[in-house]
Amino acid sequence: MPELVYPPVITAAKTMFRALDLRLDVRGSHHVPRTGGAVLASNHVSYLDFIFCGYGAHESRRLVRFMAKESVFRHRVSGPLMRGMKHIPVNRAAGAGSYAAAVGALRRGEVVGVFPEATISRSFTVKDLKNGAARMAQEAGVPLLPVALWGTQRLWTKGRPRTLTRRHTPITILVGEPMDPAAYPDATALTADLRTRLSALVDRVQRDYPDQPAGPDDAWWQPAHLGGGAPTPERAVELDRSDRRSRSAS
């Protein structure tokens, strides 16, 4: 099937990058294979992460099919775009169908994008990972690539107002070396090593980032262990639990 939707969306995104003069620093994009299936497993700090994670595969001329929550596909604006780009809807109450669709796409030679933390990390550190990315890489027999994103949270993240017109923001995209799922005894071991590698990549891009908070009021986007104002991982867990309780009560 011809790609009628994805290329124009990429062109629009690149136009946005130029208009906002985003300072994109893409590293390791050569790790994305030019042919065959692969899983990109990214950290998650922003609602816009899928745009920038997908951009990490641009050099290899690959279109990444992201797994995203089903409600996005039902939205009157985003739904047609998501379906047109052949992304994969995830029903968290019945995930077997989504998982099977992702494995099928990988076996057909597609690149599938996953956020194994499942939700945005308020602490801006890597949370515990779900093992779905590892399982599908092992079942399909394709490489698993960790991807670290940083700076995207300054545009739009959980609990903060959107600043989509913010200009000159540095955005780092770092694609790590491929992991061979056959080298691990099971998905649990692969997931544990993925978290170790992803945490190291995220720490690297955070420490290399060219900007620093302009002052105490601007420190919210920096993790606590680097002197920033983001919640600690422990506090972030409490906030997530509070959110779940509020949704259950509503």
Side-chain angles (χ1 to χ4, degrees), residues 1-13 63 65 77-87:
M1 294 288 290
E3 297 286 348
L4 301 178
V5 178
Y6 219 140
V9 169
I10 291 173
T11 299
L63 300 177
R65 315 300 179 181
V77 176
S78 62
L81 291 174
M82 296 294 282
R83 291 189 293 273
M85 289 184 281
K86 304 175 188 175
H87 294 314

Side-chain angles (χ1 to χ4, degrees), residues 151-167:
T152 59
Q153 77 279 15
R154 300 177 71 187
L155 301 176
W156 188 15
T157 193
K158 184 179 289 186
R160 299 289 305 186
R162 282 176 288 188
T163 53
L164 300 180
T165 57
R166 179 187 177 88
R167 293 174 55 79

Side-chain angles (χ1 to χ4, degrees), residues 177-201:
E177 294 183 3
M179 303 170 67
D180 179 4
Y184 297 83
D186 53 37
T188 299
L190 179 54
T191 301
D193 195 22
L194 171 63
R195 185 169 189 264
T196 297
R197 295 189 187 208
L198 191 55
S199 296
L201 293 176

Side-chain angles (χ1 to χ4, degrees), residues 9-222:
V9 169
I10 291 173
T11 299
K14 291 167 72 174
T15 301
M16 179 193 75
F17 297 162
R18 288 193 296 269
L20 297 178
D21 191 29
L22 298 182
R23 292 150 56 192
L24 292 172
D25 179 10
V26 184
R27 310 180 211 166
S29 55
H30 62 280
H31 289 311
V32 180
R34 290 185 176 269
T35 60
V39 177
L40 301 186
S42 174
N43 69 315
H44 202 8
V45 294
S46 167
Y47 292 108
L48 304 176
D49 285 339
F50 69 98
I51 297 174
F52 295 99
C53 180
Y55 192 72
H58 183 67
E59 179 184 314
S60 295
R61 302 183 182 277
R62 304 302 305 273
L63 300 177
V64 183
R65 315 300 179 181
F66 283 95
M67 302 187 74
K69 60 184 180 181
E70 194 176 41
S71 60
V72 179
F73 291 78
R74 294 196 299 267
H75 191 274
R76 63 184 181 85
V77 176
S78 62
L81 291 174
M82 296 294 282
R83 291 189 293 273
M85 289 184 281
K86 304 175 188 175
H87 294 314
I88 302 169
V90 176
N91 181 343
R92 290 178 179 168
S98 306
Y99 176 85
V103 171
L106 291 168
R107 286 175 170 163
R108 291 192 302 273
E110 299 273 14
V111 177
V112 173
V114 181
F115 297 101
E117 294 169 282
T119 58
I120 287 174
S121 170
R122 296 176 189 261
S123 69
F124 305 140
T125 60
V126 178
K127 301 164 59 174
D128 290 339
L129 306 185
K130 307 294 185 183
N131 69 2
R135 288 193 297 116
M136 65 178 65
Q138 287 191 319
E139 186 168 339
V142 300
L144 174 63
L145 285 72
V147 181
L149 304 175
W150 191 243
T152 59
Q153 77 279 15
R154 300 177 71 187
L155 301 176
W156 188 15
T157 193
K158 184 179 289 186
R160 299 289 305 186
R162 282 176 288 188
T163 53
L164 300 180
T165 57
R166 179 187 177 88
R167 293 174 55 79
H168 317 304
T169 306
I171 303 290
T172 306
I173 305 162
L174 175 58
V175 182
E177 294 183 3
M179 303 170 67
D180 179 4
Y184 297 83
D186 53 37
T188 299
L190 179 54
T191 301
D193 195 22
L194 171 63
R195 185 169 189 264
T196 297
R197 295 189 187 208
L198 191 55
S199 296
L201 293 176
V202 169
D203 185 67
R204 176 177 159 189
V205 297
Q206 288 173 341
R207 294 181 186 277
D208 289 349
Y209 194 67
D211 273 8
Q212 292 295 321
D217 291 341
D218 188 45
W220 62 267
W221 57 267
Q222 189 83 303

